[in-house]
Amino acid sequence: MALKTELVRALMEQVDDSADGTAQRDGIVVWLALLGKFSPLIGPGSVNLLFTRSVDVNRAAFAWLPPIAPNGAGGAHFSAFETVLTTQPSDEVIRATRALLGTFIDSLFTLIGPALTAKFVGSVVGDKRDQKK
């Protein structure tokens, strides 16, 4: 549990809520980086399924999350999420992003184990930090 908390915290550090629209944009960028990093490892279909599961599990707490078909063609699954994310207030985006990341990481722990999950999440965070330099 401590590792999951640390990974979510590291990813959330990439989401800046200091200006209108920034949290929404940063949340989308974090998701795109995360999904892109794990696609070669577990396959795009698995990444899409885990993302869809994260949205489904958290829809009760965030009713504005869109229904997403697990076989969304060519990223259609993500574009619906991206569109609705840009319409939400920053504090809601922050809360939802944290919850979705927690569910996604839990699923990755089950699928590939904590060590490999941490390695790949760490590379996402490292890539984002390098881009800011």
Side-chain angles (χ1 to χ4, degrees), residues 88-107:
Q88 299 303 308
S90 292
D91 61 330
E92 207 40 24
V93 169
I94 297 288
R95 287 181 346 99
T97 301
R98 185 175 288 111
L100 291 166
L101 288 171
T103 304
F104 190 77
I105 289 172
D106 277 342
S107 296

Side-chain angles (χ1 to χ4, degrees), residues 14-99:
Q14 310 304 308
V15 181
D16 180 8
D17 65 347
S18 63
D20 286 342
T22 306
Q24 291 83 344
R25 183 197 68 233
D26 288 351
I28 291 165
V29 168
V30 165
W31 273 109
L32 288 173
L34 196 60
L35 299 175
K37 191 64 79 169
F38 280 96
S39 271
L41 179 67
I42 63 174
S46 293
V47 167
N48 292 343
L49 191 60
L50 295 182
F51 176 75
T52 300
R53 180 183 177 279
S54 297
V55 171
D56 288 344
V57 165
N58 287 285
R59 192 170 292 109
F62 305 98
W64 50 267
L65 288 171
I68 298 175
N71 60 351
H77 65 284
F78 191 79
S79 62
F81 171 75
E82 184 177 9
T83 299
V84 77
L85 200 66
T86 61
T87 66
Q88 299 303 308
S90 292
D91 61 330
E92 207 40 24
V93 169
I94 297 288
R95 287 181 346 99
T97 301
R98 185 175 288 111

